[in-house]
């Protein structure tokens, strides 16, 4: 089974709050000094799901990312985990893209890669949490889409996709090729192996520019943005400590429950 | 001169650190309380490609240079030096020794399974009366027809209790002193071979040590490794590798203690502000960080010379002596910064504090390394 996985580089979600800073004027996140960006953890889980399918059915995994600095680090991370090929899409024309233009760029790249049975994306990127790219790629390529996939298998020539819901799961039979966004229920992604790191770090990663993709210039970059960011800010959270008294633990528990209900927490 | 890590080195560092967080830290506290080494970590490291980073690929290692291998050690020991040393000691000291002095048949037989984690190899030099002074080795090897007869005792042997194979040094002719020493391989199950754990340690409680007893063991002649009279020199090559990685491991525990101390000093409020805002705490943190940087570059320098096959006796002693003594100082300061909390094993600083003292002893004591440096600089020996 040949799989394409779309991955994104984001600021490390584990950075301490004190290091997270915004430029309110330009409405951008200021990259934290000394803390390198990482592969979006949800995308890393999409790579993991692709590797499980490769372990079972064989095939080839190609990893795509858009990075205007032509940074290959997260593609190499996925290769070190076990993916076969990686491509970085880098062009000044891509700068300022939103989910729609990003999806257009990725859709064009997916078509250029060609033969594939499945496209996987993380359920959302852990920086902006929009969760749109996978769905728009499916729309662009007129492919069936299953969101929040926890597991994928192959039954009778079709994909059997287990989709996570709030109170359980759904099973879909999906013809190939298809697109799925991957839920975090997939679990912990494998670590890159020593042999994978050696191979990945010495691999030449192709860089594709806008001209390589047959992309529609009106659909990419800042000029194609369809949503307007009005304000970007860090919410101020106030902490208050209130001691709930009670003669007995049971009495204090009841009072605590009443207080929490009054506060709208439960 | 480039002081930046390569992309490959960064990837190995990050992977090894995550491995340590996922596979070593979760069980460390309970294992240390029970003074238990969980040997399943050996297979896990092997399947991750971490068990034998410096060994040639033809024998199952990754074939990495010593700087990258030291970086991996630092990252793993960030969680525990004792566990890392117990897991990797086979591929480090005795396997390096075998690689240098063993016959091709011996290398093919033992090295690949050791690097795969299928076979636990221990190196045995130390005896009750022979520590830094190997001329005191009392284990005897007596030639009798077409075999050797071995008698003696070895102590403080990493994985001694669980080793499948032991590479040890014995005296073939007391009158020849160091020139009478020879190396041999003995496999568990050989009649006359026995082992037992050495428990009750106050340090290295997550590691694994045992003593070995050899009673009239008969070994075929082909079980000798290298030539008689060169055993100590051969062993020192493996010990040289162990010294590098012990230094890197000490750096790992020192870095862990600095990380924990910075975090704690920002969170712990006393006298109306975080303790990190007090000048005396800042002085300790500054000294910790500076010493760690100094140790790191001494280690990388020695590792680089070793990788390039350049003589590095003095530089390795600088690294081992300074890094382990620095770790001993830093771990104690980290416990002090944490106050009474630091004396419990819920914080990382406590178990690093316990392990740091052993790091100054294994692979040559601090005093031996000082004597080595002195000898190199003064061109005269203070010992035989």
């Amino acid at each position: 089974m040949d799989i394409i996985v779309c991955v994104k580089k984001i600021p490390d979600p584990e950075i301490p709050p004190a290091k997270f800073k915004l430029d309110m004027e330009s409405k951008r996140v200021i990259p934290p000094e000394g803390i390198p960006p990482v592969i979006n953890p949800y995308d890393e889980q999409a790579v993991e799901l692709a590797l499980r399918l490769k372990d079972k059915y064989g095939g080839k995994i190609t990893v795509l990312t858009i990075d205007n600095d032509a940074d290959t680090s997260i593609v190499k991370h996925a290769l070190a985990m076990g993916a076969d090929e990686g491509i970085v899409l880098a062009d000044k024309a891509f700068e300022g893209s939103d989910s729609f233009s990003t999806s257009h760029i990725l859709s064009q790249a997916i078509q250029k890669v060609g033969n594939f049975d499945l496209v996987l994306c993380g359920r959302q990127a852990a920086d902006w949490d929009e969760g749109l790219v996978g769905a728009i790629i499916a729309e662009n390529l007129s492919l069936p889409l299953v969101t929040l996939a926890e597991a994928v298998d192959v039954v009778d020539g079709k994909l059997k996709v287990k989709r996570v819901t709030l109170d359980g799961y759904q099973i879909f039979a999906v013809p190939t090729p298809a697109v799925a966004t991957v839920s975090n229920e997939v679990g912990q992604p494998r670590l890159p192996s020593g042999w994978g790191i050696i191979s990945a770090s010495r691999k030449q990663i192709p860089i594709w520019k806008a001209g390589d993709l047959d992309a529609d210039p009106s659909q990419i970059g800042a000029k194609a943005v369809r949503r307007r960011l009005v304000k970007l800010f860090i919410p101020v959270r106030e902490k208050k400590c209130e001691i709930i008294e009670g003669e007995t633990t049971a009495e204090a528990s009841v009072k605590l429950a009443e207080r929490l209900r009054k506060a709208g927490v439960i | 001169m480039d002081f930046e890590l390569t992309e490959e080195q960064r990837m190995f560092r990050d992977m090894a650190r995550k491995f340590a967080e996922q596979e070593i830290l979760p069980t460390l506290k309970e294992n240390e309380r029970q003074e238990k080494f969980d040997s399943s970590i050996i297979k896990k490291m092997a399947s991750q490609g971490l068990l034998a980073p410096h060994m040639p690929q033809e024998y199952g290692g990754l074939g990495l240079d010593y700087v990258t291998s030291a970086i991996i050690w630092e990252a793993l020991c960030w969680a525990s030096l004792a566990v890392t040393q117990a897991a990797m000691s086979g591929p480090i000291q005795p396997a390096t020794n075998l690689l240098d002095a063993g016959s091709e048949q011996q290398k093919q037989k033992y090295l690949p399974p050791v690097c795969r984690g299928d076979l636990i190899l221990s190196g045995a030099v130390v005896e009750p009366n022979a520590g830094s002074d190997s001329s005191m080795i009392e284990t005897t090897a007596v030639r009798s027809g077409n075999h050797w007869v071995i008698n003696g005792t070895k102590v403080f042997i990493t994985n001694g209790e669980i080793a499948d194979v032991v590479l040890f040094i014995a005296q073939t002719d007391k009158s020849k002193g160091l020139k009478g020493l020879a190396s041999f391989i003995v496999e568990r199950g050989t009649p006359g071979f026995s082992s037992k754990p050495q428990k009750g340690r106050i340090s290295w409680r997550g590691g694994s040590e045992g003593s070995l007893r050899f009673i009239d063991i008969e070994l075929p002649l082909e079980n000798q490794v290298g030539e008689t009279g060169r055993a100590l020199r051969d062993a020192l090559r493996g010990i040289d590798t162990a010294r590098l990685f012990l230094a890197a491991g000490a750096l790992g525990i020192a870095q862990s203690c600095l990380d924990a101390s910075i975090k704690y000093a920002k969170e712990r409020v006393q006298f109306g502000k975080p303790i990190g805002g007090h000048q005396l705490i800042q002085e300790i943190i500054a000294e910790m960080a500076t010493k760690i940087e100094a140790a790191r570059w001494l280690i990388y320098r020695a590792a680089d010379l070793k990788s390039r096959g350049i003589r590095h006796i003095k530089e390795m002693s600088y690294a081992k002596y300074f890094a382990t003594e620095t770790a001993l100082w830093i771990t104690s300061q980290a416990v002090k910064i944490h106050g009474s909390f630091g004396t419990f094993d819920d914080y990382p600083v406590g178990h690093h504090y316990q392990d740091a003292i052993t790091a100054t002893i294994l692979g040559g004591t601090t005093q031996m390394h000082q004597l080595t440096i002195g000898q190199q600089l003064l061109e005269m020996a203070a010992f035989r």
Side-chain angles (χ1 to χ4, degrees), chain B residues 39-75:
Chain B
S39 59
S40 69
I41 194 73
I42 295 176
K43 280 295 246 184
K44 288 177 184 170
M45 281 189 178
S47 64
Q48 196 60 42
L50 285 171
L51 192 61
H54 70 296
M55 292 297 283
Q57 292 187 356
E58 62 186 295
Y59 297 116
L62 290 180
L64 296 176
D65 63 88
Y66 285 101
V67 177
T68 310
S69 301
I71 288 167
I72 290 172
W73 261 76
E74 179 190 340

Side-chain angles (χ1 to χ4, degrees), chain B residues 129 196 303 315 372:
Chain B
N129 293 318
K196 61 178 184 181
E315 288 79 4
T372 299

Side-chain angles (χ1 to χ4, degrees), chain A residues 20-41:
Chain A
F20 184 74
K21 294 197 167 60
L22 299 177
D23 180 348
M24 312 281 268
E25 193 92 353
S26 64
K27 299 175 195 150
R28 284 173 188 266
V29 176
I30 300 169
E33 199 181 330
I35 302 177
V38 296
I39 183 171
N40 171 34

Side-chain angles (χ1 to χ4, degrees), chain B residues 103 105-106 146 148 185 219-225:
Chain B
S103 66
Q105 193 183 3
Q106 288 168 334
N146 60 352
W148 292 95
I185 290 173
L219 292 180
L221 298 183
E222 60 263 29
N223 278 36
Q224 182 173 350
V225 176

Side-chain angles (χ1 to χ4, degrees), chain A residues 178-228:
Chain A
V179 178
T181 68
V182 177
S183 167
N184 46 300
E185 277 80 4
V186 158
Q188 190 160 280
R190 68 194 67 186
L191 292 174
S193 72
W195 303 277
I197 289 173
I198 290 172
S199 155
S201 63
R202 295 168 191 180
K203 193 158 188 154
Q204 205 65 31
I205 306 296
I207 309 289
W208 287 357
K209 295 187 155 301
D212 298 320
L213 296 179
D214 197 22
D216 178 351
S218 69
Q219 296 291 312
I220 59 175
K223 60 185 175 303
V225 166
R226 300 190 192 184
R227 54 116 173 89
R228 187 168 62 92

Side-chain angles (χ1 to χ4, degrees), chain A residues 233-264:
Chain A
F233 65 100
I234 299 173
V236 179
R237 290 198 172 87
E238 283 182 14
K239 282 192 282 188
K240 206 165 70 176
C241 181
E242 193 176 323
I243 307 292
I244 307 292
E245 304 283 1
E247 289 294 321
T248 62
T249 312
E251 186 187 325
S253 303
V254 170
K255 284 186 180 174
L256 174 63
E258 287 170 349
R259 184 70 191 87
L260 290 173
R261 182 173 292 168
K262 194 176 164 192

Side-chain angles (χ1 to χ4, degrees), chain B residues 105-135:
Chain B
Q105 193 183 3
Q106 288 168 334
K107 288 191 256 189
Q108 291 293 350
K109 182 177 180 185
Y110 294 112
L111 295 181
V114 167
C115 294
R116 286 196 304 269
D118 291 337
L119 187 136
I120 298 177
L121 173 65
S122 282
V125 179
V126 175
E127 298 182 359
N129 293 318
S132 300
D133 183 359
S134 299
S135 69

